[in-house]
Amino acid sequence: MTDTVAEAAEAGGGDTAALTDGIHLVVDALKLNRVETIYGVVGIPITDLARLAQASGIRYIGFRHESDAAHAAAAAGFLTQKAGICLTVSAPGFLNGLVGLANATTNCFPMVQISGSSERHIVDLQRGDYEEMDQLAVARQLCKAAYRVSRAEDIGRGIARAMRTAVSGRPGGVYLDIPAAVLGEIIDKDKGETSLWEIVDPAPKQIPDAVAVDRAIELLAGAQRPLIVLGKGAAYARADDAIRQFVESTGIPYIPMSMAKGLLPDDHPQSAATARSLALKQADVVLLVGARLNWLLGHGDAPQWSPDAKFIQVDIAANEMDSNQPIAAPLVGDIGSVMDALVERTKPGQIAAPTGWREALGEKSAANVAKMAKRLEAAKTAQPMTFLGALQAIRDVIVERPDVYLVNEGANALDLARNTIPMSVPRHRLDSGTWGVMGIGMGYAIAAAVETGQPVIAIEGDSAFGFSGMEAEVIARYDLPVITMVLNNSGVYRGDDASPSGDPAPTYLSARHDILMQAFGGTGYQATTPDQVGEMLRKALAEGKPALIDCIIDPADGTESGNIKHLNPKGLNAKQ
């Protein structure tokens, strides 16, 4: 029992059976709603909550930094379609967690951040309490919804509301504020138990209108250069069979966004990923499935797209339509229901991709693959080792082990891995996502290992790894089958930038990451050739233990800002 309940019981003659408190109610509400794992960082006022959750059978994964715990909860939401739970302390810890919460909302991953907070009667009058902050006001602008529980008897309601909001409609992050006084509040046990409930059908199907479905089918049927774009929303939806059936029955070429890779194998004959630029530029009718016309797709603007392209968009949120381009055929509904309707209502032979369009994409794809093959061949023997040399060694291992989950972040490490390493299984690739943020790596990797029980390979740029590298200790502490591959070119983008002063250049970095892993109790390797990378990775996978391979990359290898150099401002002193 918690101290508060024990003290109340002692004062009342020792009858603990009739009492409960806010901490117990939080744990009971989470268990009632089948929460199996909490990711977090303990401290005042939530340490006892974590202890009780663990004692009650909920797995608690303790992190070194709240943003990484929040990223883990977000990844858990993506992988399970249930709200991942992150637990943080108040004020600074709460703010750290908001990084992951806001990123989850942008990526449409369901998660709930539960934070303790200071006393309301002091905070509201700004009297200067311990870690004083109006956390609810701060969180509201950064997530899908934010709620505060002000009475212990409302804890069950608050948790039910938060979890339903996180997974319903367009998924996202939800903040739940529980002040310390509420966690410690003691109430009648029967009253507390009756205040809890399990949410029913939190993400019900939303069936698309038949007229809208037929409109989309007619538009695709008249297309000369149709294209399907699969986004991570399509992966999250788990509508794999319906998506495959529609793609293959129509013959329409498709492009997967990075986290949709594996919905169909990357070597599928209809994949136009290796002819992406041509496909986008010339497509006349585009079906967006769980993908948004944001910066990752050039906002649908010319010259990246044809100015005459017509868009069909599948999205559960009607307000997403027309956000960048006119949507000629909006399909509002959950992706599974929409794809089922498209399959059901499309007549055999009604939609077909013209032969000339498929051949043009095939020719461009073959030319690009041949060009890439030459780069890969040269990289096999390049010394010092290049990004592509290390990545194709990793690729060969992943092809042998399709069960492995891949986490990927960085600039060059992300861009080149996405184009080098094929995926054949859905939801096995997690990366920087819509915001393109760095720092998701170790949190995502930990969640993937915890939620699936499968081995994880995290491919990290050395700069990206630095954002969450201390979480390697968490990997070692919980003995998770995570192998971290640090592509170490000694810099942000590259490590050969000349310094304009006596200090190191702004982009220069220096670290022996393998020794760091050894300090935490895992296995650390250093690889200087592609053969060593492959050999060490296979050994680490076979052992199934925490490991890190520091892949020493040529400091001169790498492009400023990776594939998004064009986003750098063009000022007088812009780096050429």
Side-chain angles (χ1 to χ4, degrees), residues 18-75:
L19 300 175
T20 189
D21 62 13
I23 292 174
H24 281 80
L25 290 171
V26 171
V27 173
D28 291 346
L30 292 174
K31 288 190 68 176
L32 186 60
N33 283 284
R34 299 184 177 142
V35 170
E36 298 177 356
T37 306
I38 295 173
Y39 302 91
V41 178
V42 296
I44 298 171
I46 49 88
T47 306
D48 279 351
L49 200 163
R51 289 191 180 113
L52 182 65
Q54 189 178 60
S56 72
I58 297 176
R59 192 174 190 190
Y60 175 81
I61 306 294
F63 279 72
R64 292 303 193 104
H65 197 276
E66 292 90 352
S67 66
D68 303 320
H71 287 313

Side-chain angles (χ1 to χ4, degrees), residues 214-294:
D214 291 343
R215 181 192 300 122
I217 291 171
E218 290 173 10
L219 195 56
L220 284 168
Q224 294 302 304
R225 297 177 300 281
L227 180 69
I228 296 172
V229 178
L230 301 174
K232 64 178 175 294
Y236 174 82
R238 295 179 178 264
D240 308 357
D241 291 342
I243 289 171
R244 176 187 281 270
Q245 186 175 349
F246 185 75
V247 169
E248 293 183 340
S249 66
T250 60
I252 297 175
Y254 73 91
I255 290 174
M257 302 298 285
S258 60
M259 288 182 64
K261 287 165 67 71
L263 271 173
L264 293 97
D266 278 351
D267 60 358
H268 193 282
Q270 287 172 244
S271 174
T274 49
R276 175 187 171 105
S277 295
L278 179 66
L280 299 189
K281 192 176 185 64
Q282 294 193 5
D284 61 350
V285 176
V286 182
L287 173 62
L288 302 164
V289 183
R292 293 172 283 181
L293 285 175
N294 53 28

Side-chain angles (χ1 to χ4, degrees), residues 361-376:
L361 292 175
E363 290 172 4
K364 185 63 175 178
S365 179
N368 287 342
V369 168
K371 188 185 299 183
M372 185 63 169
K374 290 181 179 179
R375 293 180 64 193
L376 291 171

Side-chain angles (χ1 to χ4, degrees), residues 87-213:
L87 183 64
T88 78
V89 299
S90 50
F94 152 77
L95 289 173
N96 289 339
L98 277 188
V99 173
L101 188 71
N103 191 50
T105 304
T106 300
N107 279 319
C108 305
F109 293 171
M111 70 164 283
V112 175
Q113 177 181 339
I114 301 174
S115 294
S117 61
S118 297
E119 301 286 1
R120 295 305 320 155
H121 66 281
I122 300 178
V123 173
D124 291 344
L125 283 173
Q126 299 177 29
R127 295 169 57 193
D129 201 11
Y130 169 73
E131 295 189 346
E132 177 181 297
M133 179 179 288
D134 188 351
Q135 295 170 196
L136 188 71
V138 174
R140 274 181 174 146
Q141 57 193 321
L142 296 172
C143 56
K144 184 178 179 183
Y147 307 109
R148 175 181 290 135
V149 177
S150 297
R151 305 179 302 174
E153 64 194 76
D154 289 329
I155 284 174
R157 177 178 288 105
I159 286 175
R161 186 92 186 273
M163 293 185 69
R164 178 179 291 277
T165 302
V167 299
S168 64
R170 170 172 284 176
V174 175
Y175 174 65
L176 184 62
D177 188 280
I178 308 182
V182 177
L183 291 172
E185 184 182 348
I186 298 167
I187 65 173
D188 179 80
K189 189 173 183 179
D190 289 339
K191 180 180 180 181
E193 288 178 351
T194 58
S195 72
L196 309 180
W197 68 82
E198 180 182 357
I199 54 176
V200 177
D201 197 14
K205 291 183 177 181
Q206 295 190 26
I207 311 299
D209 184 76
V211 173
V213 174

Side-chain angles (χ1 to χ4, degrees), residues 279-567:
L280 299 189
K281 192 176 185 64
Q282 294 193 5
D284 61 350
V285 176
V286 182
L287 173 62
L288 302 164
V289 183
R292 293 172 283 181
L293 285 175
N294 53 28
W295 72 278
L296 290 166
L297 286 171
H299 305 286
D301 290 336
Q304 188 171 348
W305 294 85
S306 166
D308 300 320
K310 292 182 172 59
F311 293 97
I312 304 165
Q313 185 163 7
V314 181
D315 202 292
I316 201 165
N319 62 358
E320 175 62 31
M321 308 301 171
D322 306 311
S323 59
N324 275 287
Q325 299 294 332
I327 302 302
L331 287 170
V332 179
D334 69 277
I335 289 172
S337 296
V338 171
M339 296 310 299
D340 284 342
L342 285 170
V343 169
E344 179 182 345
R345 298 183 70 85
T346 301
K347 299 179 178 64
Q350 185 177 5
I351 299 173
T355 301
W357 172 231
R358 289 185 283 111
E359 289 179 346
L361 292 175
E363 290 172 4
K364 185 63 175 178
S365 179
N368 287 342
V369 168
K371 188 185 299 183
M372 185 63 169
K374 290 181 179 179
R375 293 180 64 193
L376 291 171
E377 187 63 32
K380 287 181 180 178
T381 56
Q383 282 296 320
M385 182 165 59
T386 64
F387 281 103
L388 286 178
L391 285 169
Q392 62 185 315
I394 299 170
R395 174 203 64 191
D396 293 344
V397 176
I398 289 178
V399 168
E400 299 165 5
R401 293 288 304 271
D403 59 313
V404 167
Y405 281 76
L406 175 63
V407 173
N408 188 200
E409 65 173 335
N412 296 283
L414 173 65
D415 294 335
L416 293 171
R418 181 173 53 224
N419 295 331
T420 303
I421 299 176
M423 303 302 296
S424 59
V425 182
R427 292 168 293 280
H428 275 53
R429 178 185 171 86
L430 296 91
D431 63 31
S432 298
T434 303
W435 261 356
V437 299
M438 300 300 105
I440 53 90
M442 295 299 94
Y444 279 18
I446 289 167
V450 169
E451 299 294 338
T452 71
Q454 296 299 312
V456 179
I457 295 174
I459 301 176
E460 302 275 308
D462 54 338
S463 172
F465 177 72
F467 285 84
S468 62
M470 278 297 290
E471 307 304 344
E473 187 275 330
V474 178
I475 293 170
R477 187 179 355 130
Y478 289 91
D479 196 28
L480 300 174
V482 175
I483 302 161
T484 305
M485 314 292 297
V486 180
L487 304 188
N488 185 359
N489 69 342
S490 301
V492 181
Y493 311 133
R494 52 196 291 169
D496 65 342
D497 198 8
S499 173
S501 73
D503 289 327
T507 59
Y508 177 72
L509 301 170
S510 178
R512 280 288 302 271
H513 305 97
D514 52 319
I515 296 176
L516 177 73
M517 192 69 206
Q518 291 169 11
F520 293 144
T523 303
Y525 302 90
Q526 188 182 76
T528 58
T529 68
D531 286 344
Q532 289 177 348
V533 171
E535 177 185 348
M536 293 171 180
L537 180 53
R538 288 184 176 88
K539 181 179 179 182
L541 274 173
E543 292 176 348
K545 295 289 185 178
L548 185 150
I549 304 174
D550 202 22
C551 306
I552 306 305
I553 305 296
D554 185 351
D557 193 29
T559 302
E560 181 85 12
S561 303
N563 285 347
I564 54 175
K565 183 177 181 179
H566 64 281
L567 296 180

Side-chain angles (χ1 to χ4, degrees), residues 3-20:
D3 289 342
T4 51
V5 174
E7 290 168 2
E10 184 178 350
D15 185 10
T16 61
L19 300 175
T20 189

